[in-house]
Structures are given as C-alpha cells and as structure tokens.
Amino acid sequence: MATLVSVNVGLPRDVAWEGRTVHTGIWKDPVEGPRMVRRLNVDGDGQGDLAGHGGEQRAVFVYQLDSYRHWREHLGRDDLGYGEFGENFTVDGLPDDEVCIGDRYRIGAAEFEVTQPRVTCFRVGMRLREPRMPALLVAHHRPGFYLRVITEGAVTAGDPIVRTRVGRHAVSVAAVDALLYLPDRDRDLLRAAVDIPALSPGWQGSFRELLDAGPAAAAPPPPAWPGFRRLRVERVVPESATVTSVELAADDGAPLPPAAAGQYLTLRVAGAGDPAPVRSYSLSSPPGAATYRISVKREPHGVVSAYVGARLRPGAVLDAAAPRGEFVLADGTGPVLLLSAGIGVTPVLAMLHQLAAAGSARDVWWVHTARNAAEQAFAAEADRLLQALPHAHRYVFHTAPDGAAPDGAAPDGAAPAGPHGAAPAGAVRRGRPTAAALAGLGLPADATAYVCGPAAFMADMQATLAGLGIPPDRVHTELFGALAAINPGLTDVRRRSPHPPPGPDGTGPRVTFARSGLTVRWADRHGSLLDLADACEVPTRFSCRTGVCHTCVTPVLSGATDYSPEPLELPAAGTVLVCCARPDGDLVLDM
C-alpha cells in the first residue's frame, strides 16, 4: 500500500536568480504532526505564481520516493531532501506511469482527485540548481502530479493512501504529460484525455487544440523567399504631414509574390545607419499589386523614419524579408469592423482594398482615428474604396483641432450618410473613440473586428468591443513593437528600452531583435538567445527555459541556429526556441 512519507509546506518568497528576483513558493519544508488540507491549500502553504500553480485544480502537488532515488542516481546528488521538488506530499508508491488522471485517493481524513501532471517551469531547475530539470522531468517521464481536494481534512506523515476510484479511461499521468510535451502523439489517447472530466481545463483546452489541428496539421506556408532579398525603391510619396509611402519592386525585375491583406514587410535599411537598422512595416498596398507599398510615420528620434522621410530616393535598394503575419482578413460573409488609429491604418487599408476589389456585399465598418486632417493619411483613398462598397459605414475621429472644422463635420452626432450608407469624405467626429462614442455607432455584435494602432489604443478597443458584445475571439489585433513579456514569477520586470548587453562587446555573429530595433554581437557568455535577450532587456517570453513548453518560440527572419540542449520537440520550420538556441551566423529574430 502507498504511504504518505512527508507533508511539506512553504510560503512564497523572493529569491535572487541571475541578477533578477523571482517570487516563488517552490521552497517547501517537512512539517511534523497532522496538517489540515483545505480546498485551495495545505495549511501553511502557498504558491507564488497562481497562473501556473495553485488554485482548486492544483491545490496539492505530489512527488514520489522512487523518483527521488532515480534523480539521486542520475544527477549524482545526495543532498535531495523531502520537498526539494516543490511537492506538498512526498509519497512511497503512486508512480506516474500507474496513477491515472481522475483517480481518487483517501489520505487521513481527506480525499483527493488527480487532475494533471506538473506544469514545466524554470523554477524547479532554480530550486535544484540544475537548469535542465524541466526537460529532464518530461524526458524521464517523472513529472509528479497535482491533486484537487474533494473532502477537506487533516493528514499526517505515515498515513496510508487508499485508492477509492479509478479515473475514466485509465490514462496515466506520464502518458498525459507526454501527450502535451513530446512528439508523435497518439490521437486515440488525445481523444480519451479530453473525455476525462477530472483533467484540468487548461490541459483539456490544449488537447482540443491538438485534435482540431488534425493528424498531420498543415504547417503554415513557408515565406515567399528565405532570408532577405533586394527590393528597389520605385516611388516615394508623401501621404500626409507625417506619413511617407514607399513603393518597392524586385531589384531583378521578377514579379513579386502576392501578399495577403494585413501582412507586413521587415526591411533592413542600410542607408539609415551602421549596422543597418531593421524595422517592420505593414503593407498598405492592394493584395496582388505589382509593387509592395509600405507607409512610414515620422517619429521623433526615429532613425529609419527620418531617413525615409528626408533622404530615401527612387532607385535605392533595401533588403526585405518576405511578407509575414497572421493579422489577415479572413473569409466570411458577416460584418467586418476595420478599426485603426494613426499609422495603424495601413494593414486595414489593405483589407479594405481586398473587400473593394472583390465587390464584397458584407457590411464594412471603417472607424479611424487621427490627430487632425493634416495627419490623416489615405483619407481620399479610403473614401474612394468605401464608396465602391454597397454596405459601407465610415466614421473618422480627430483628436486635435484642425484650426477650422471641415465641411460636413458632425462633432456631436453620427456622421450623415453618403452614397451606399457611407458618410461623406468630410464628416468627422471630434475627440476619441470612447466606449460611449462607439456604442452610439450601432456596431453589430456579430462583426469580426481588425484593430491596429498604438498598444494602448488596441487594449482600450479590445475592452470596449467586448463591452459592446463582440466576443474576444472575433477581435484581431496587430502589434509591431515587441510582444508583451511572459516572465512567470519575476517581480522586477524592467521597462527600459532595449540596449546592448552589459560587459565587453561580443565578437560573434550579429543578432538582430527586429521588433526591438536592436543589433548586437553574440558572446559565448550568453548561454542562449533568450539569455542574450534578457541581458539586452528585450521583452521575452518563457516558462521552462529548456525547450519543453514552447512559450519562447520565435520566428526567424534570417539566419540559422544551433540547439544546446536539443528540445524535446522541434518547433515549426522558420521558428526557433530561443531558450536553448545559439546563433549559427548572423541572425534576425522577430522579437
């Protein structure tokens, strides 16, 4: 019979780690005598990161004596005491390849249900002073598991553990862990896993996504060309007081591959600096146009935008990565809401071109915000496209005065209707598109929304649209700056601009973080590309830091990488797990 060997608890604490501070509850120590187990915790215990640990589905974590013996031998360690793996219950018995999701056990006066394996995260490696530990736990099929508390009660070290029920389909903890983190998944086992009521909702959702992807999920089409190619500047066109468009053609005269409406180009602009700065810009041209058009807003202290606005001339050559991006207009027949601010107009303008070219009968809502008429790029172009659509609605907001209101201005009410339901070109509203202002437009709740603009604008619009009844899964956004960081447990996340890493300059390949506008040379003191990004304060995304969870997966715009260690499952072609990769030559990453 299995036995509870030790009860371990610990409250979250701040721990120094690689020059940062991590708030974590992984430090657990054995306690004597009976200890009450409640719905969310063992008395005296706590979790530092409730997004990944704790809560009703993860109230108690269990690890086994046999796994302790395994790791002592495998790691050559004789210093592993109870609670070292962050477990609340150290048990004799209950191996991961025999315990099943949904099994119930009585321990002392309490009853528990098995809900999921351990969530892989870097903190177990930090606790054990072995960074590889998250990957090792999965590769060796020894993750441990979480329990939900069915009946609260006291437990004591030495209590016998009695199974009271077998989980549906009898799928073991080790098998479920492998389904999520290892390749060559058994689809029948996936179907069984999602049919286990006790499996925690997060894991069920991940398995449903894997099932929906199909047995051989179609990989996204590769970019139209690898790395960078030369594009020639055909025209440079001022669009407003602050925006300049650049039309690009292939330097060799070959036709350009078509780009999807909403995609972006990443350019390496040699004339703007040394090393050549790398920037990404939405395509504002119609899909299938003979040239690619990007539109660049002049920014204060913007090295590339100043060059484009003042010095770039036809005939110049720029290096460009192929069009990329998933912010694209989806097929459908329902209403479309194109919502933008400032230079965020560019990808939704390309979508408007696509709708107009198709003669779409969909309801199309065009809602754009600019400072004033002088800074509103593409006003006439958008009006022309909207008037070609039979069910178009146009609303423009100006946040700063023009000096004189344009003809037809409607500062307090809805813009008057023009042909086919579109407002005339001059109609604007004063102010910002607040929740109240948008509510007055009568936006359809069944619309699919495409939102682009400054990060704060997009966050506000997402919240506003949700309040108007548009489900979050039908609101799509595009962000060209660095993605929001995912740094579980870090309490001192800095918000400085990315910068070269401290210490001597590297002598290795150039590594460019395209979204962050930074190019540095690699140095071997950085163990991985993720370590380098952290040192540069480039916003990063991670959890395991050992190639298991794929939180850090990043598109590669140009160049190649090597892995050390090799991840348990390789990411899709054209991407890299930066937590365990190093550059193999000059490299451009979309981060």
Side-chain angles (χ1 to χ4, degrees), residues 233-250:
V233 176
E234 294 283 280
R235 298 177 67 210
V236 179
V237 181
E239 302 286 0
S240 74
T242 57
V243 175
T244 300
S245 285
V246 180
E247 294 182 16
L248 300 161

Side-chain angles (χ1 to χ4, degrees), residues 24 59 79 81 87 95 157 163 206 233 238 247 335 360 392 431 489 545 579 586:
T24 177
D79 59 342
E87 79 273 14
R163 187 168 67 183
S206 296
V233 176
E247 294 182 16
S360 177
R545 301 184 73 99
C579 70
D586 288 352

Side-chain angles (χ1 to χ4, degrees), residues 254-572:
L256 290 173
Q263 288 191 310
Y264 62 89
L265 282 184
T266 298
L267 299 176
R268 188 160 54 201
V269 187
D274 184 21
V278 176
R279 300 288 188 272
S280 294
Y281 299 102
S282 286
L283 289 161
S284 57
S285 46
T291 58
Y292 293 152
R293 181 179 68 178
I294 61 162
S295 303
V296 181
K297 179 185 176 184
R298 187 173 65 251
E299 300 286 357
H301 314 295
V303 173
V304 175
S305 66
Y307 172 75
V308 169
R311 293 189 286 141
L312 185 65
R313 297 289 182 268
V317 173
L318 306 177
D319 293 331
R324 283 175 167 81
E326 298 178 358
F327 182 71
V328 295
L329 183 66
D331 294 335
T333 58
V336 177
L337 170 58
L338 304 176
L339 183 56
S340 57
I343 197 60
V345 68
T346 51
V348 297
L349 180 67
M351 296 177 185
L352 187 60
H353 270 288
Q354 179 176 327
L355 291 163
S360 177
R362 300 172 74 173
D363 273 341
V364 177
W365 296 72
W366 177 265
V367 182
H368 179 63
T369 302
R371 289 194 72 253
N372 51 37
E375 295 188 21
Q376 183 186 339
F378 306 110
E381 186 173 330
D383 290 337
R384 185 180 71 252
L385 295 168
L386 287 163
Q387 295 203 24
L389 292 166
H391 303 291
H393 312 262
R394 174 192 179 278
Y395 297 94
V396 173
F397 292 79
H398 285 173
T399 61
D402 294 328
D407 293 339
D412 299 316
H420 311 299
V428 298
R429 288 181 160 215
R430 299 298 179 191
R432 300 184 182 278
T434 62
L438 290 183
L441 302 185
L443 301 176
D446 60 341
T448 300
Y450 298 87
V451 185
C452 190
F457 168 82
M458 292 194 294
D460 287 346
M461 292 302 101
Q462 286 177 291
T464 297
L465 295 176
L468 295 177
I470 299 179
D473 62 355
R474 290 214 302 270
V475 177
H476 307 281
T477 61
E478 179 69 303
L479 177 66
F480 286 104
L483 300 176
I486 299 176
N487 304 152
L490 290 187
T491 62
D492 57 347
V493 176
R494 307 176 180 103
R495 300 193 180 278
R496 293 174 57 196
S497 297
H499 55 79
D505 292 341
T507 58
R510 292 183 189 269
V511 177
T512 297
F513 300 104
R515 287 179 180 263
S516 301
L518 178 67
T519 298
V520 297
R521 285 199 175 274
W522 172 260
D524 285 336
R525 68 177 182 274
H526 306 296
S528 68
L529 289 164
L530 178 57
D531 292 337
L532 174 61
D534 283 341
C536 296
E537 297 191 65
V538 169
T540 57
R541 297 180 157 210
F542 64 81
S543 180
C544 72
R545 301 184 73 99
T546 54
V548 180
C549 68
H550 286 219
T551 302
C552 72
V553 66
T554 300
V556 175
L557 301 180
S558 176
T561 58
D562 288 326
Y563 282 116
S564 179
E566 191 78 12
L568 298 182
E569 182 176 17
L570 290 171

